[in-house]
Amino acid sequence: MKKKMICLLLIVVISLSQIMPASAATISELKRQLADTQNQLNAINGQAAGLEGKKDAVEEEIDELDGTLVELMSSISLLEEEIEQKKEQIVQVQEELEAAIAREETQYESMKKRIKFMYEKGNSTYAQLLFEAKSISDMMNKADYIEKLYAYDRKLLIRYQETRQEVADLKEALEEEKSALEAEEFELKEEEAALEEALEAKRAEAENFEVQIAQIRQSAAAYKALIKQQTSQIKQLEAEEAARKAREEAERKAREEAERKKNNKNNDNGKESKDTDKNNDTTSKPSGNAVSADVVSMISSASGSAKGKEVASFACRFIGNPYVPGGTSLTNGADCSGFTQAVYREFGISIPRNSSSQRSCGTGVSYGEAQPGDLICYAGHVGMYIGNGYIVHASTQRSGIKITPATYKEILAVRRVL
């Protein structure tokens, strides 16, 4: 990506260095270059917007990972406290187990003699005790004593076994809980390490996006400088072109005036003069007619750009010229779309040939925003807005090129191509 950004910057620098001087380039060539540069700038801005979106998404992931990591660390801290508590409980239970074992040992020592006496000597001793009884009452008492002695010894034995088992079971349970907590702590710490690694990767990714965006912004700045230079050259050429047309117009009027004076002196040559005017009307540069003061005032008083007003004024010079189906000549005749196309062509602007295609060119604006030079599009027809609610258009074969209120029929679209 870094190499790609460097290549883009190099392309911009090379483009700046290779722009043709204003005297060597045509307006159309410079406008084509300007359009290409603008497209490249739009593409770069699109890349920047895409990277900004990716960077924002990564930063959201970083925030989520940070939150998860905080929760995880809190859980680990709680686990560690619980493990310490289990350790303390185990120590306490161990002490209790040792005390129980000591008591059991004491109990065992106290009954060991009886166990040895009764179980090692056999039951004959008990029988002897009974035989030595002096009476039945004494025998019953001795039998009852032997019974109680058996029960007492058995009770002590059972209590010994139960106490020892309970304490041993408690210790085992605590050891198992401690082991489970330690396993959970280990897993959480593993997860913590993985989260920290993921965070580092995401932070590096976000920093990389920052670098890419900065590089793209540098390229965009270079393209903006290029656009500024190209726009300046176009304005210079347009000013030169306007001056040239003004000179040609002045020369044309001077020739017409000279011809008129000549015709006044030589009335017999009137037909020849008329033929000469007709020939002049078919030249590649349209002559046009004078624009009335009312039309000039209408255009100049309207809001809009100077270029739009210039185009509108130029179009009005051909009011009264014929409507010719399929025609594209401003002097010999044009249909509605041929008229608007021919007017724009004189200013180095290319638009489609038919009215339906012209309805999609340029940029759409509302009728309330219409300015001189805009296209006013209708169903199967198109005209040029000149301001104050009027259009100039090639109307019909009967009326030719004329001025009409813009709302004389339903408006479908207003397109700005300047």
Side-chain angles (χ1 to χ4, degrees), residues 239-299:
E240 293 173 355
E241 180 69 10
R244 180 188 63 79
K245 287 182 179 180
R247 289 195 300 272
E248 290 178 352
E249 179 67 11
E251 291 172 357
R252 181 188 65 78
K253 288 182 177 180
R255 288 195 300 271
E256 287 181 352
E257 181 64 19
E259 190 68 25
R260 185 184 64 78
K261 290 179 179 179
K262 179 179 179 182
N263 289 339
N264 288 339
K265 293 179 180 179
N266 303 287
N267 290 331
D268 292 339
N269 294 329
K271 185 177 181 299
E272 180 181 354
S273 175
K274 184 177 180 180
D275 291 341
T276 299
D277 290 341
K278 183 177 180 181
N279 289 335
N280 288 338
D281 198 39
T282 61
T283 58
S284 60
K285 295 295 181 181
S287 59
N289 308 307
V291 181
S292 69
D294 290 339
V295 173
V296 171
S297 176
M298 181 187 300
I299 295 172

Side-chain angles (χ1 to χ4, degrees), residues 202-218:
K202 289 298 179 183
R203 290 189 182 108
E205 188 176 353
E207 289 175 1
N208 185 40
F209 281 135
E210 286 282 2
V211 172
Q212 294 180 39
I213 291 168
Q215 292 171 342
I216 286 178
R217 295 301 183 203
Q218 290 178 354

Side-chain angles (χ1 to χ4, degrees), residues 192-202:
E192 179 186 16
L195 276 174
E196 288 177 345
E197 184 177 349
L199 268 173
E200 287 302 318
K202 289 298 179 183

Side-chain angles (χ1 to χ4, degrees), residues 131-290:
F131 289 145
E132 291 178 351
K134 295 178 179 180
S135 66
I136 291 184
S137 176
D138 187 26
M139 184 182 293
M140 293 296 293
N141 289 333
K142 289 183 181 297
D144 185 56
Y145 169 75
I146 293 169
E147 179 97 10
K148 289 180 179 179
L149 190 60
Y150 268 110
Y152 175 74
D153 288 339
R154 186 170 182 80
K155 184 178 180 181
L156 286 178
L157 182 60
I158 291 171
R159 185 186 301 168
Y160 158 73
Q161 292 173 342
E162 288 177 348
T163 302
R164 184 170 185 170
Q165 189 61 47
E166 286 174 2
V167 176
D169 289 346
L170 179 57
K171 182 182 178 184
E172 180 67 22
L174 290 173
E175 291 283 1
E176 182 64 27
E177 289 177 12
K178 174 176 169 289
S179 177
L181 289 172
E182 288 173 342
E184 187 176 350
E185 179 188 26
F186 175 79
E187 292 175 2
L188 287 177
K189 285 185 175 180
E190 287 286 312
E191 188 176 346
E192 179 186 16
L195 276 174
E196 288 177 345
E197 184 177 349
L199 268 173
E200 287 302 318
K202 289 298 179 183
R203 290 189 182 108
E205 188 176 353
E207 289 175 1
N208 185 40
F209 281 135
E210 286 282 2
V211 172
Q212 294 180 39
I213 291 168
Q215 292 171 342
I216 286 178
R217 295 301 183 203
Q218 290 178 354
S219 298
Y223 276 116
K224 288 178 181 177
L226 179 58
I227 288 172
K228 184 177 181 181
Q229 182 176 350
Q230 290 171 335
T231 302
S232 176
Q233 288 184 324
I234 290 171
K235 288 181 178 179
Q236 178 184 347
L237 285 180
E238 286 176 341
E240 293 173 355
E241 180 69 10
R244 180 188 63 79
K245 287 182 179 180
R247 289 195 300 272
E248 290 178 352
E249 179 67 11
E251 291 172 357
R252 181 188 65 78
K253 288 182 177 180
R255 288 195 300 271
E256 287 181 352
E257 181 64 19
E259 190 68 25
R260 185 184 64 78
K261 290 179 179 179
K262 179 179 179 182
N263 289 339
N264 288 339
K265 293 179 180 179
N266 303 287
N267 290 331
D268 292 339
N269 294 329
K271 185 177 181 299
E272 180 181 354
S273 175
K274 184 177 180 180
D275 291 341
T276 299
D277 290 341
K278 183 177 180 181
N279 289 335
N280 288 338
D281 198 39
T282 61
T283 58
S284 60
K285 295 295 181 181
S287 59
N289 308 307

Side-chain angles (χ1 to χ4, degrees), residues 22-139:
S23 59
T26 64
I27 293 176
S28 60
E29 287 172 343
L30 281 174
K31 287 186 175 181
R32 178 185 57 77
Q33 292 176 5
L34 179 60
D36 290 342
T37 306
Q38 186 64 56
N39 289 335
Q40 291 169 339
L41 176 60
N42 293 340
I44 283 182
N45 286 336
Q47 291 178 13
L51 287 174
E52 289 282 3
K54 291 180 180 179
K55 175 175 168 288
D56 291 343
V58 169
E59 288 179 344
E60 287 180 4
E61 292 179 29
I62 289 173
D63 290 340
E64 291 177 2
L65 288 173
D66 275 331
T68 304
L69 184 59
V70 169
E71 292 177 0
L72 195 61
M73 292 173 70
S74 178
S75 298
I76 291 173
S77 178
L78 292 174
L79 270 177
E80 288 173 346
E81 291 179 4
E82 194 171 350
I83 289 171
E84 288 301 318
Q85 292 174 357
K86 291 297 178 186
K87 287 179 180 179
E88 292 175 1
Q89 291 175 6
I90 290 170
V91 170
Q92 183 178 354
V93 170
Q94 180 64 35
E95 292 174 355
E96 292 176 0
L97 180 58
E98 291 173 355
I101 291 173
R103 288 194 300 271
E104 291 155 12
E105 289 295 331
T106 302
Q107 292 170 359
Y108 178 70
E109 289 296 331
S110 67
M111 72 178 195
K112 202 162 44 169
K113 290 181 180 181
R114 287 192 300 276
I115 293 173
K116 182 177 181 182
F117 179 78
M118 287 185 291
Y119 296 104
E120 289 182 3
K121 296 296 183 178
N123 293 333
S124 60
T125 303
Y126 295 102
Q128 185 177 355
L129 287 173
L130 293 175
F131 289 145
E132 291 178 351
K134 295 178 179 180
S135 66
I136 291 184
S137 176
D138 187 26
M139 184 182 293

